[in-house]
Amino acid sequence: MENELQEPQRGRSRKKAEAAVAEKTPKSAKAIKRRRFIIMAVLEVFVLLAIFAYAYLLKQYSKIQRPVFEVKNVENTELTTDDIAKMKGYWNIAAFGVDSRDSSVGRGNNADVIMIVSINRENGEIRIASVFRDSYLSLANGNYNKINQAYAVGGPELAVKALNQNLDLNITDYVTFNWKAVATGINILGGVDIDLTQPEFKYINSYITETVKGTKIGSVQLTHAGMNHLDGIQAVAYARLRYMDNDYTRTERQRRVLELCVQKAKQADPATLSNLAGNLLSMVATSLTWDDGMSLATNVKKYSIVETIGFPMDRREINMGFKGACVIPNTLEKNVKDLHTFLFGGEEYTVSNQVQEIDNHIASDIARYRGRSEERKYKAKMREYNEGEETTAARKRNSSTEEETRRSRSETESGSSASSKSTREESESGSARETSAEATDSRGNVITGPGAKSSSAARESSSTAENGTVRESSRAAGESSAARETTAAETSAQVTTREVTTAAAPSETNGPAANEE
């Protein structure tokens, strides 16, 4: 009876267990399906976001202004193959900042900012050279004027061509921006910290007011000098300051703002960088492609500005008639050589014939606007520089000659020492043989054998070697003396040349040229 009662209970327990398993299995399948659905939904959202972001960037990219710019029209054909090879591995970009009120960035706008940005592709080091906007140079169209006129006359194409011709470069990429783009970008990056001097603080608020009106971007006035956190408008106003000093210092402020922006961009997250690109692309003109932009964005943390300068480094100001006060390079050839050393390092650069022709034309224009005396000053500077180059080359040749003389003397002395040592050894050997050849008879008389002749020959050989050593030392001393006399003669000739040039200058001033003035 008990067994009969237990069997139905077992059957009911088994059914309950099977029912429980049946109930659990559908629930597990539903949970798996639900998880899969959530994962797929999240992935789709990410994909859609990526697609929308890409589409947004493409839309903004299509808004980039593209003035006429043909690479074949700006390439520098005057450069040699060796010159091009020295620049290999550097990405050189011309950066122009225009003061436009209508957001245009093409021709018709003067370039207030002209920078050469040289990026070392291998290590990411950036060197920046600001070209002073009032520099008197060729405009690459047969005219000479302030270099910022090139952009106003022919847009980025003529401006880049002018930089290439005047500076022996081969730039084929450019970026042009206006002050609204700079202010917007700095605001997106969160502003920059700048230490204002008292003179800078005196003028900056008026520039802030003017920049707000020109860009339609809001800002506030500053209340004190010293360290300030500047927003985009305030930073642009700081970069535009020049009344308290000069244009040279103004370019230093511009480069300082750019350095701070690069540091901020390196610390920014991808969302900020995407926002930056999306907002700025429609405000700039550039020759850079989509791939170029992606390369800059992905390698932004690799880049660092290591050094900046203003060009021309050696300069003076001259009023060139109706063209106004211009910055004159002293001389263009010298400054171009220094620029290439700054940007690319390596051996001293030899400028092209094109740069020399521009240099001579600048001298002629100085004579036309300021008289023959100013032309003579400029050409005297050119001669002085060339003489300095020749003197440096002569010193290098003399140094090389003296080094060779010292090396020859050292080798001679080493050879003499070895010869003397060998002679002494032979003499000692001969003496030993002579001693061994001597014998005595039963009465104690010395019997001289063949060894005596050997000893005599050794002594004669020693005397001959010593005489040869003296003659070699005398000849080396004579060569050294002759080298020193040659150096003195060349230096004396150079001094005489400069004296003659200096003496001739007054006669030119008092001669027909002065009457022409």
Side-chain angles (χ1 to χ4, degrees):
M1 285 292 293
E2 291 180 359
N3 292 335
E4 290 178 359
L5 291 172
Q6 287 176 355
E7 284 181 3
Q9 291 178 355
R10 288 173 185 165
R12 284 194 297 270
S13 298
R14 191 180 302 111
K15 288 180 181 179
K16 287 181 180 180
E18 291 175 355
V21 171
E23 288 177 1
K24 287 181 181 180
T25 301
K27 287 182 181 178
S28 299
K30 289 178 181 179
I32 292 172
K33 288 180 180 179
R34 189 179 300 112
R35 274 198 300 270
R36 288 178 179 173
F37 177 78
I38 292 172
I39 292 172
M40 291 297 294
V42 170
L43 288 175
E44 287 179 3
V45 169
F46 277 116
V47 170
L48 288 174
L49 287 175
I51 292 173
F52 285 133
Y54 184 75
Y56 172 73
L57 289 176
L58 279 179
K59 182 180 178 181
Q60 297 302 110
Y61 177 74
S62 65
K63 293 181 180 179
I64 293 177
Q65 300 180 50
R66 301 282 186 182
V68 176
F69 187 85
E70 294 289 340
V71 172
K72 64 181 181 181
N73 293 336
V74 304
E75 286 182 325
N76 194 344
T77 57
E78 295 294 321
L79 297 178
T80 65
T81 305
D82 291 339
D83 294 335
I84 299 294
K86 289 177 183 177
M87 302 176 199
K88 188 177 181 180
Y90 294 89
W91 186 9
N92 300 313
I93 304 171
F96 303 102
V98 296
D99 187 11
S100 62
R101 306 296 179 180
D102 56 356
S103 298
S104 65
V105 287
R107 61 184 298 178
N109 298 296
N110 282 329
D112 282 350
V113 178
I114 304 173
M115 291 184 181
I116 298 166
V117 182
S118 183
I119 304 173
N120 188 318
R121 294 182 183 272
E122 182 178 354
N123 55 28
E125 291 184 350
I126 301 175
R127 285 178 169 78
I128 300 175
S130 293
V131 180
F132 302 126
R133 63 180 184 174
D134 292 336
S135 299
Y136 191 79
L137 297 168
S138 167
L139 301 186
N141 61 355
N143 298 318
Y144 283 70
N145 207 323
K146 295 178 180 180
I147 190 63
N148 68 340
Q149 285 285 311
Y151 200 97
V153 173
E157 184 174 276
L158 186 63
V160 172
K161 184 178 180 180
L163 289 177
N164 285 339
Q165 288 189 5
N166 286 284
L167 309 181
D168 268 357
L169 296 173
N170 195 36
I171 301 171
T172 56
D173 283 313
Y174 80 94
V175 175
T176 302
F177 54 86
N178 55 31
W179 292 124
K180 183 177 182 180
V182 177
T184 301
I186 293 175
N187 281 338
I188 292 173
L189 291 172
V192 293
D193 295 323
I194 300 261
D195 190 3
L196 291 176
T197 65
Q198 191 62 42
E200 289 170 343
F201 171 68
K202 180 181 178 180
Y203 286 95
I204 193 169
N205 282 328
S206 60
Y207 274 89
I208 290 174
T209 300
E210 182 185 352
T211 308
V212 167
K213 291 179 180 178
T215 61
K216 304 296 187 293
I217 299 175
S219 184
V220 296
Q221 304 249 305
L222 298 176
T223 59
H224 60 85
M227 186 59 69
N228 281 269
H229 184 76
L230 306 185
D231 63 23
I233 292 294
Q234 294 164 345
V236 166
Y238 171 78
R240 298 179 64 193
L241 290 173
R242 67 184 175 92
Y243 285 119
M244 83 291 299
D245 37 50
N246 50 48
D247 191 53
Y248 313 131
T249 311
R250 187 178 78 122
T251 62
E252 292 178 7
R253 284 189 280 269
Q254 292 169 355
R255 295 194 297 271
R256 190 176 303 128
V257 170
L258 180 58
E259 288 180 38
L260 293 172
C261 289
V262 170
Q263 292 175 10
K264 282 277 190 174
K266 290 172 67 174
Q267 299 168 0
D269 55 47
T272 301
L273 293 176
S274 176
N275 187 22
L276 184 68
N279 281 277
L280 295 188
L281 288 176
S282 61
M283 301 182 191
V284 302
T286 183
S287 63
L288 300 180
T289 64
W290 176 266
D291 291 338
D292 293 331
M294 290 297 101
S295 175
L296 287 170
T298 54
N299 294 313
V300 66
K301 297 186 183 300
K302 174 184 176 181
Y303 299 133
S304 61
I305 299 175
V306 295
E307 199 172 359
T308 67
I309 60 167
F311 180 93
M313 290 76 82
D314 187 2
R315 60 188 178 268
R316 63 189 177 120
E317 292 185 14
I318 294 181
N319 194 315
M320 303 292 281
F322 69 92
K323 297 177 182 179
C326 298
V327 178
I328 307 297
N330 267 342
T331 60
L332 182 60
E333 178 179 356
K334 176 182 182 299
N335 279 282
V336 169
K337 285 185 176 182
D338 292 342
L339 176 65
H340 277 252
T341 300
F342 168 76
L343 292 177
F344 312 118
E347 300 176 357
E348 187 174 348
Y349 179 73
T350 302
V351 302
S352 66
N353 293 332
Q354 183 173 246
V355 168
Q356 293 177 351
E357 290 173 3
I358 295 173
D359 217 356
N360 289 325
H361 196 288
I362 291 173
S364 299
D365 282 0
I366 290 174
R368 180 160 39 134
Y369 291 107
R370 303 304 301 165
R372 297 291 179 187
S373 60
E374 288 292 340
E375 179 190 21
R376 284 194 291 272
K377 287 181 183 178
Y378 190 82
K379 289 189 174 180
K381 187 74 176 178
M382 293 172 67
R383 286 195 300 271
E384 180 183 341
Y385 175 70
N386 291 331
E387 287 173 3
E389 291 290 297
E390 291 173 1
T391 302
T392 303
R395 285 175 182 168
K396 288 181 179 180
R397 289 195 300 270
N398 293 335
S399 176
S400 177
T401 302
E402 291 177 1
E403 182 64 27
E404 290 178 0
T405 301
R406 285 194 296 270
R407 192 182 300 112
S408 175
R409 186 190 307 165
S410 176
E411 292 174 356
T412 301
E413 291 174 354
S414 299
S416 300
S417 300
S419 177
S420 299
K421 183 177 179 181
S422 175
T423 302
R424 285 196 299 273
E425 290 176 353
E426 290 178 0
S427 178
E428 291 172 359
S429 175
S431 298
R433 287 196 298 272
E434 180 183 0
T435 302
S436 63
E438 292 178 348
T440 56
D441 56 10
S442 59
R443 297 179 180 179
N445 296 323
V446 177
I447 301 173
T448 303
K453 295 181 181 180
S454 175
S455 176
S456 177
R459 284 193 296 273
E460 290 177 1
S461 174
S462 174
S463 177
T464 302
E466 290 175 358
N467 291 335
T469 302
V470 171
R471 285 194 297 273
E472 289 291 336
S473 299
S474 299
R475 185 165 62 254
E479 291 176 356
S480 176
S481 177
R484 286 194 296 273
E485 289 175 2
T486 302
T487 304
E490 290 181 356
T491 305
S492 176
Q494 292 161 3
V495 171
T496 303
T497 302
R498 285 195 294 272
E499 289 176 353
V500 171
T501 304
T502 305
S507 64
E508 291 179 5
T509 304
N510 298 326
N515 295 331
E516 290 177 11
E517 295 172 16

